[in-house]
């Protein structure tokens, strides 16, 4: 099949990218990062999460971050909401979209959100209804869709089951997530196929961590199936506190470079995106991790 001509990228850097940072990151830095991402042309930004501050202290400033963002028309700001308590707090901050997040393994569901897969669906159901009634967008993330740090290999049947349950409670779009970056192109395609049993191509997205360096290969494998919506994190930041050892998301700038080279439109200014990546790396006191980011910085310095 022919490849998509346009891809929609959601930068999850401010949320997935920073949730795992040990050092406190000031809200002002998170807000500045969001501003830089929207300046670079990102139209979807996952800004923060409304989870327990005891579980994820780094996201405790969620309301402050949301209040500090100077919103740009045409940009959608999403937040994670695992339950009604999170949704109610999030709703006060006027997100455009909320994300419920379940898992394709029982073990990960317990570790990450302290309940079984079926219980998570029961928690999400009123959240999804309330969000849709309020006119918000809703996404349903399915973590550990190809491999789990606790259960090992995850059968595609689990992804299919979770997709069906998400569909049953009215989640309009699912995100197939390789939380620990163990996916290979064939396994990623199998997980995507499982989600596509219940959702059409316009309602399935990919979210690939790059632990083993295959996130771009998995993006390409999904692109070949027609999937055109992806999460990525500026600077390749990221990781889930309940997936030890897993590294960052695929870097947004790596994805943009690949798409541009393939003639696929992203609407993103790569130079400004690299500036944003450098900004957050400097703020964290680390060298920029992404390959494309480093290459462009080296070229500028030459
Ligand atoms: P729980 O302990 O089962 O919840 O946690 P509970 O309902 O029994 O409540 C216990 C306490 O938490 C109570 O407070 C609640 O008020 C409070 P206490 O009375 O003890 O003082 N509480 C909350 N506080 C703030 N916001 C809330 C909230 N809910 C309850 N929403 C819960 C369940 C889901 C809250 C907990 O397990 C949690 O916060 N987990 C964190 C999960 C997380 O953020 N993980 C990282 C994001 S997911 C991810 O990174 C994967 C993704 O990127 C895709 C991929 O790569 O796979 C999306
Ligand atoms: Mg993630």
């Amino acid at each position: 099949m022919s490849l998509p001509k346009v891809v929609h990228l959601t930068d999850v850097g401010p949320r997935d990218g920073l949730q795992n940072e040990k050092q406190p990151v000031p809200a002002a830095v998170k807000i500045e990062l969001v501003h830089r991402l929207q300046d670079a042309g990102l139209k979807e930004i996952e800004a923060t999460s409304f989870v327990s501050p005891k579980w994820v202290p780094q996201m405790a400033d969620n309301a402050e971050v949301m209040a500090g963002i100077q919103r740009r028309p045409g940009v959608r700001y999403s937040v994670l909401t695992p339950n009604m308590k999170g949704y109610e707090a999030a709703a006060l901050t006027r997100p455009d979209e909320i994300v419920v997040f379940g898992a394709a393994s029982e073990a990960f569901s317990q570790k990450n959100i302290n309940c079984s897969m079926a219980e998570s669906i029961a928690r999400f159901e009123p959240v999804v209804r309330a969000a849709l009634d309020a006119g918000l967008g809703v996404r349903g993330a399915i973590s550990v869709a190809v491999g789990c740090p606790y259960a090992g290999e995850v059968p595609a049947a689990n992804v299919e089951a979770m997709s069906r349950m998400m569909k049953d409670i009215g989640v309009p779009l699912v995100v197939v997530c390789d939380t620990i970056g163990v996916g290979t192109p064939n396994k990623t395609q199998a997980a995507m196929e499982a989600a596509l049993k219940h959702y059409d191509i316009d309602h399935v997205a990919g979210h690939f961590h790059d632990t083993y360096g295959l996130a771009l290969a998995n993006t390409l494998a999904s692109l070949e199936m027609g999937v055109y919506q992806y999460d990525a994190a500026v600077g390749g930041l990221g990781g889930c506190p309940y997936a030890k050892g897993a590294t960052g998301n695929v870097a947004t700038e790596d994805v943009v470079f690949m798409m541009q080279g393939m003639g696929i439109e992203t609407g993103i200014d790569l130079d400004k995106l690299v500036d944003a990546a450098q900004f957050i790396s400097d703020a964290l006191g680390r060298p920029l991790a992404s390959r494309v980011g480093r290459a462009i910085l080296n070229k500028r310095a030459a």
Side-chain angles (χ1 to χ4, degrees):
M1 73 171 291
S2 60
L3 294 176
K5 296 196 167 27
V6 178
V7 293
H8 297 181
L9 300 182
T10 299
D11 201 297
V12 297
R15 194 281 303 171
D16 201 336
L18 298 179
Q19 68 182 7
N20 209 22
E21 279 299 317
K22 297 289 169 281
Q23 53 178 327
V25 180
V29 169
K30 297 172 180 170
I31 292 164
E32 170 76 15
L33 178 61
V34 171
H35 290 162
R36 284 173 177 263
L37 291 172
Q38 60 196 24
D39 280 349
L42 265 301
K43 293 280 181 279
E44 287 264 355
I45 301 173
E46 204 168 88
T48 186
S49 61
F50 288 81
V51 298
S52 164
K54 288 188 190 139
W55 286 60
V56 185
Q58 189 62 258
M59 295 285 110
D61 59 1
N62 41 31
E64 189 184 349
V65 170
M66 287 299 280
I69 298 171
Q70 285 172 17
R71 304 212 186 173
R72 181 166 297 197
V75 177
R76 294 171 63 75
Y77 305 88
S78 55
V79 300
L80 262 53
T81 56
N83 53 18
M84 275 311 280
K85 188 177 168 80
Y87 176 75
E88 279 158 11
L92 299 174
T93 71
R94 299 183 303 107
D96 298 293
E97 187 167 82
I98 59 102
V99 182
V100 291
F101 49 105
S105 88
E106 288 295 352
F108 192 78
S109 188
Q110 290 290 352
K111 295 275 188 194
N112 195 39
I113 50 174
N114 205 24
C115 62
S116 69
M117 290 160 67
E119 282 161 354
S120 74
I121 289 292
R123 289 181 185 185
F124 300 155
E125 199 266 334
V127 175
V128 172
R129 198 166 357 104
L132 292 175
D133 285 350
L136 303 184
V138 174
R139 291 150 64 89
I142 303 177
S143 288
V144 297
V146 292
C148 171
Y150 310 105
E153 194 111 353
V154 172
N158 289 23
V159 180
E160 191 192 335
M162 201 59 189
S163 303
R164 181 179 41 74
M165 289 194 276
M166 292 254 187
K167 184 89 187 183
D168 286 347
I169 59 165
V171 172
L173 178 149
V174 284
V175 191
V176 174
C177 304
D178 182 5
T179 315
I180 56 170
V182 289
T184 49
N186 57 322
K187 290 180 189 174
T188 304
Q189 286 186 336
M192 285 291 174
E193 267 162 28
L196 285 165
K197 294 215 164 95
H198 300 284
Y199 285 87
D200 64 31
I201 199 73
D202 296 318
H203 296 95
V204 173
H207 172 120
F208 308 131
H209 285 258
D210 201 26
T211 317
Y212 287 80
L214 290 183
L216 272 184
N218 296 333
T219 303
L220 181 58
S222 307
L223 206 59
E224 283 171 351
M225 297 173 74
V227 175
Y228 63 88
Q229 303 180 79
Y230 297 96
D231 291 351
V234 62
L237 302 171
C240 174
Y242 300 98
K244 293 271 177 275
T247 61
N249 292 266
V250 67
T252 316
E253 53 273 29
D254 289 4
V255 177
V256 170
F257 180 83
M258 182 173 89
M259 297 300 169
Q260 285 184 347
M262 295 174 74
I264 297 171
E265 206 180 299
T266 63
I268 293 169
D269 180 325
L270 185 55
D271 270 310
K272 284 190 176 170
L273 183 62
V274 171
D275 291 342
Q278 187 172 28
F279 161 78
I280 192 62
S281 304
D282 287 349
L284 298 174
R286 281 205 292 270
L288 179 51
S290 76
R291 305 292 289 261
V292 168
R294 282 203 311 267
I296 289 178
L297 291 181
N298 287 340
K299 198 170 159 197
R300 281 183 194 168

